[in-house]
Amino acid sequence: MIKKYDIIICGAGLAGLSLAYSAFSSDVWTNQRVLIIDKSTKDTNDRTWSFWEKSPGIFESLVHHKWNQLVFFTNDQQRIDLQHLPYKYKTIKGLDFYNYVRSFLQKLTQVEWIEESVESVESPGDHCLVKTDKGRYECKFAFDSRYKKPDLKYGDQYFLQHFKGITIKTGNRKFNPDQAFLMDFRTSQKNGTTFFYTLPMSENEVFIEYTLFSKELLKEDIYDHELKDYITNVLGVSDYDLIDSEFGVIPMTDYKFKRRSGNVMNIGTAGGDTRGSTGYTFTNVQKTITKIVQAFERTGTPFFEDEQLGSIEKLYDSTLLNVLAEGNYEGHQLFTDLFKGTKAKTVFSFLDGESGIIEELKVMKSLRTWPFLKWFTKVVYKNLYFKLINLKVTQNNQRNSSTDDR
């Protein structure tokens, strides 16, 4: 027996729950019967989202901590105090987010939440079919945030941003809870672009993340060893208690994800909402969700004109990933040049896809010209080439269809 709903959300993570919360809190889905499916109970703090904002966002009440001062450390020990205001850096704990949205949705009689594993999501016509390990469901519109590595085309870049983060409490050093280390490159670069990310939550509690941009993951014990070495020899903390830990992998790619297939919409990383050059996702997800809710309010459908992060931003991301892949312009030096030569508020605006041509020129000017110019030209050529190929395929299909009709 197939159970029917108006809307099904596959995946109760950042994207799926942000969508449900935004649509119901703005009364756009008041008359919609919604099913949320996830294989997890979402009862653990499995991740932390950090991002910058100029003004309070929709989940401001969940912000666990925010920082007004950001610091960058180069690989050769130089300290750069970043000029980033009016942006503030913020962090939200995954469990706080899950609990908040779940509590909100549980009050709504038109929302059902089940713990099952989604096996397939299809749109055979003007509806969607969702198959799980326990049942089959039908709806008008489905949103799918399940991610799997795409089938890459020739020339597509695919890096992994992999990290292990731990929260520690110590009594032998006081941290400044208003100051965070956005990128600290005071560590070996032998495994790729590698830095620490250090967020003090109080004077004696700090979240520390060991982060790499590379093609392969490391052995588990290496993450632990590097964290211990950084805490002891760089931060100067000799005695501490481990409070919490998390591990994650985020794709950094210039692959063009497909947003829509019939009445199925891909959201989150699966829909292209992760910035290829940085791995940041939180802000882009909220922008996409806003577009979906606004489209639904206007037209009764979730469909909007989508360029994901924008065509020019995709070109910039692809260029940077190719420069890193080539290896002649090391990642630590690239980011050092960027933050030395450009105010952080300009970089943040650029990475959010909200910069103007003047700001973009400032970013480009701070970096070595030749590697970026060379790869930007190649990326533009590659995109044009595949657009022409797709155009020819479409024209051939149309001609074949016309011949069949006769």
Side-chain angles (χ1 to χ4, degrees):
M1 181 177 177
I2 299 178
K3 296 184 69 173
K4 296 185 178 182
Y5 298 85
D6 296 307
I7 294 167
I8 296 178
I9 297 175
C10 302
L14 172 64
L17 293 186
S18 291
L19 174 59
Y21 179 82
S22 297
F24 279 110
S25 63
S26 59
D27 295 327
V28 173
W29 281 2
T30 301
N31 299 318
Q32 305 296 314
R33 188 164 177 241
V34 177
L35 173 66
I36 301 173
I37 309 175
D38 197 289
K39 62 183 178 181
S40 169
T41 58
K42 297 298 179 184
D43 58 0
T44 61
N45 190 52
D46 58 351
R47 66 198 63 226
T48 301
W49 295 296
S50 297
F51 52 97
W52 50 79
E53 279 186 322
K54 286 188 282 189
S55 56
I58 187 173
F59 295 113
E60 184 68 20
S61 64
L62 299 180
V63 172
H64 181 72
H65 200 85
K66 63 182 71 173
W67 296 268
N68 294 308
Q69 302 171 28
L70 295 176
V71 180
F72 180 102
F73 285 98
T74 70
N75 186 241
D76 59 2
Q77 314 291 317
Q78 295 181 55
R79 171 182 172 135
I80 303 171
D81 291 295
L82 303 181
Q83 300 179 47
H84 58 89
L85 296 176
Y87 290 96
K88 292 186 178 181
Y89 202 67
K90 305 176 182 182
T91 194
I92 291 176
K93 289 189 173 183
L95 186 58
D96 292 342
F97 174 81
Y98 302 143
N99 288 341
Y100 178 80
V101 178
R102 183 192 289 271
S103 177
F104 172 81
L105 296 175
Q106 283 176 338
K107 299 172 185 176
L108 306 176
T109 57
Q110 64 269 52
V111 177
E112 185 178 346
W113 188 324
I114 60 174
E115 293 169 18
E116 297 180 10
S117 180
V118 175
E119 295 179 347
S120 64
V121 185
E122 300 175 347
S123 181
D126 61 353
H127 65 289
C128 303
L129 292 174
V130 177
K131 182 181 178 181
T132 74
D133 57 343
K134 296 180 182 178
R136 290 163 60 87
Y137 307 92
E138 183 179 320
C139 62
K140 179 67 175 177
F141 303 112
F143 298 92
D144 192 359
S145 63
R146 298 170 305 136
Y147 178 79
K148 67 175 183 178
K149 184 177 179 180
D151 295 325
L152 303 175
K153 300 191 302 292
Y154 175 77
D156 286 342
Q157 287 295 337
Y158 195 91
F159 279 78
L160 300 174
Q161 180 179 150
H162 46 115
F163 51 86
K164 181 166 185 178
I166 61 174
T167 300
I168 64 170
K169 183 168 284 190
T170 179
N172 76 331
R173 172 180 169 171
K174 287 187 176 181
F175 290 90
N176 180 354
D178 197 40
Q179 183 182 93
F181 299 168
L182 182 67
M183 300 180 93
D184 188 342
F185 282 100
R186 293 177 292 178
T187 187
S188 169
Q189 303 296 303
K190 67 180 180 180
N191 292 312
T193 302
T194 310
F195 58 93
F196 285 90
Y197 176 67
T198 305
L199 307 178
M201 304 296 175
S202 68
E203 287 188 346
N204 65 346
E205 183 177 320
V206 58
F207 175 77
I208 304 164
E209 188 176 276
Y210 177 61
T211 305
L212 302 97
F213 300 168
S214 65
K215 302 279 186 172
E216 303 289 339
L217 301 181
L218 304 179
K219 292 181 179 179
E220 186 176 349
D221 62 331
I222 297 179
Y223 300 95
D224 295 327
H225 175 271
E226 296 300 327
L227 279 164
K228 183 177 181 180
D229 181 71
Y230 176 79
I231 292 169
T232 303
N233 297 319
V234 178
L235 297 183
V237 176
S238 57
D239 183 31
Y240 58 89
D241 295 319
L242 179 65
I243 306 301
D244 203 359
S245 67
E246 63 180 64
F247 179 83
V249 182
I250 300 171
M252 297 172 62
T253 179
D254 55 1
Y255 175 84
K256 184 171 177 57
F257 289 90
K258 191 174 184 180
R259 177 68 76 187
R260 177 186 173 189
S261 178
N263 277 13
V264 178
M265 289 196 74
N266 296 316
I267 56 177
T269 300
D273 291 325
T274 294
R275 187 77 197 249
S277 58
T278 64
Y280 278 96
T281 305
F282 189 92
T283 300
N284 293 323
V285 164
Q286 305 313 320
K287 289 179 178 180
T288 295
I289 297 310
T290 298
K291 292 176 183 177
I292 291 173
V293 173
Q294 289 176 347
F296 208 100
E297 189 172 26
R298 287 194 314 269
T299 67
T301 78
F303 310 131
F304 61 93
E305 188 67 28
D306 179 43
E307 291 191 7
Q308 294 176 4
L309 296 171
S311 56
I312 190 64
E313 283 78 23
K314 295 291 285 185
L315 288 176
Y316 291 150
D317 286 351
S318 184
T319 301
L320 184 141
L321 291 173
N322 277 283
V323 169
L324 289 179
E326 186 179 45
N328 293 332
Y329 195 172
E330 291 189 68
H332 75 88
Q333 190 60 56
L334 188 157
F335 285 103
T336 295
D337 292 345
L338 178 63
F339 283 104
K340 267 189 173 182
T342 313
K343 291 181 179 179
K345 64 179 181 179
T346 301
V347 176
F348 290 170
S349 176
F350 172 76
L351 294 175
D352 277 347
E354 298 174 353
S355 55
I357 186 63
I358 300 300
E359 292 173 305
E360 290 167 9
L361 288 173
K362 288 180 180 178
V363 170
M364 295 176 196
K365 187 179 178 181
S366 67
L367 301 170
R368 294 177 187 172
T369 303
W370 172 239
F372 279 88
L373 180 60
K374 177 178 69 173
W375 280 108
F376 185 81
T377 303
K378 289 185 177 182
V379 167
V380 169
Y381 175 80
K382 183 190 80 170
N383 285 3
L384 289 173
Y385 173 77
F386 280 111
K387 282 184 179 179
L388 287 173
I389 293 295
N390 291 333
L391 179 61
K392 288 183 179 180
V393 170
T394 301
Q395 290 173 340
N396 288 336
N397 289 339
Q398 290 173 344
R399 282 197 294 268
N400 291 337
S401 176
S402 176
T403 302
D404 292 340
D405 290 341
R406 292 198 297 271

